[in-house]
Amino acid sequence: MFDMIPQQNFCDMLKSLAFQGARRGGKATILNAVKALENARQWQPSVFAQAIDQVQPGAIWIDTNECIHVEGGAATLVLIVDAYLEMTGQKIREVV
């Protein structure tokens, strides 16, 4: 699924999570995780899928209305992005 979505488009889809009912703290956490993913120097969709499976298989999915969902919310998304950055050899950077 992810190999058909360019990095920025995928990040934009993830940003929509912050505005789909996430709590105030969750919104900031989601936006920080997405910012870290946007700043990644490379986008390897297959590795991102592996990061999802490593953290929580099936955690990110898109429903029939094309809305993206992350089981476990913001905390799970942060773990997935961190795992992706680690797997691709990119530094996990503090986003301000």
Side-chain angles (χ1 to χ4, degrees):
M1 166 177 88
F2 301 112
D3 59 342
M4 297 175 15
I5 304 172
Q7 179 178 6
Q8 188 58 53
N9 291 10
F10 185 69
C11 289
D12 290 343
M13 290 172 66
L14 286 173
K15 282 180 197 172
S16 72
L17 282 174
F19 304 104
Q20 290 179 5
R23 294 187 179 122
R24 183 176 223 156
K27 288 179 184 182
T29 303
I30 290 169
L31 292 175
N32 285 338
V34 172
K35 187 69 171 173
L37 188 58
E38 283 178 324
N39 289 332
R41 294 179 310 275
Q42 54 184 304
W43 174 236
Q44 296 180 15
S46 60
V47 177
F48 190 79
Q50 290 173 358
I52 293 169
D53 288 342
Q54 179 179 320
V55 172
Q56 181 180 337
I60 297 180
W61 54 280
I62 299 172
D63 66 18
T64 56
N65 296 322
E66 297 185 18
C67 291
I68 195 163
H69 301 273
V70 178
E71 296 296 326
T76 301
L77 181 61
V78 168
L79 292 173
I80 292 169
V81 170
D82 288 350
Y84 171 75
L85 294 175
E86 184 177 320
M87 292 169 80
T88 57
Q90 300 179 70
K91 292 184 179 179
I92 299 172
R93 293 176 250 168
E94 184 74 27
V95 179
V96 222

